[in-house]
Amino acid sequence: METSHSYTTVIVEPDGTSRISVNLTPDRQMSVINSVSGRRAQITFMHAGAHVTITPTNPEAPTAEDLATARRLGELFGRYVAEVERLHALNGASVPGESAA
C-alpha cells in the first residue's frame, strides 16, 4: 500500500519569525528534473503539488561555496541511498543489482 504524500508547514511565531518546512514522501509520481545542459545548474523535485528547486546563488556563475554545497548535497544523497538500501534489506527485501548469495 502506497502511503506517499507531501506537505508544507508554515510556522509564524508571536515575534514574527517564521519557519517553512517542506516534507516530501515520494512515490513513483515524484518528478526530479536536473537541468545540466545549457548555462544553468539546478535540480527540482515535484510531488503532490510541492515544488522544491535547488540552485547555486547564481545558477549561471556558481561560487566556490556553491560548489562545496553541491558536493555536500551529493554526499548526503549518497548516504540517504545507502541507508534506504540498508533498511530495505533489513525488511527482507533484496536490493536490485545484488545477488542473494
Side-chain angles (χ1 to χ4, degrees):
M1 172 169 68
E2 295 287 334
T3 59
S4 66
H5 60 282
S6 293
Y7 60 90
T8 302
T9 305
V10 179
I11 298 171
V12 180
E13 300 294 342
D15 67 0
T17 59
S18 62
R19 183 177 71 236
I20 301 170
S21 300
V22 177
N23 183 295
L24 302 175
T25 308
D27 57 10
R28 291 185 177 133
Q29 299 302 312
M30 181 168 184
S31 297
V32 179
I33 300 169
N34 186 5
S35 175
V36 292
S37 62
R39 301 181 52 88
R40 289 182 69 86
Q42 72 179 49
I43 187 167
T44 302
F45 304 89
M46 294 174 286
H47 186 262
H51 291 208
V52 177
T53 300
I54 301 171
T55 67
T57 53
N58 180 345
E60 296 175 3
T63 65
E65 187 174 327
D66 293 324
L67 181 56
T69 298
R71 287 180 173 151
R72 181 75 175 141
L73 286 170
E75 176 187 322
L76 293 172
F77 274 110
R79 288 183 191 174
Y80 173 74
V81 169
E83 184 65 2
V84 170
E85 287 176 343
R86 184 186 73 78
L87 293 170
H88 183 68
L90 279 177
N91 287 299
S94 62
V95 176
E98 291 186 358
S99 65

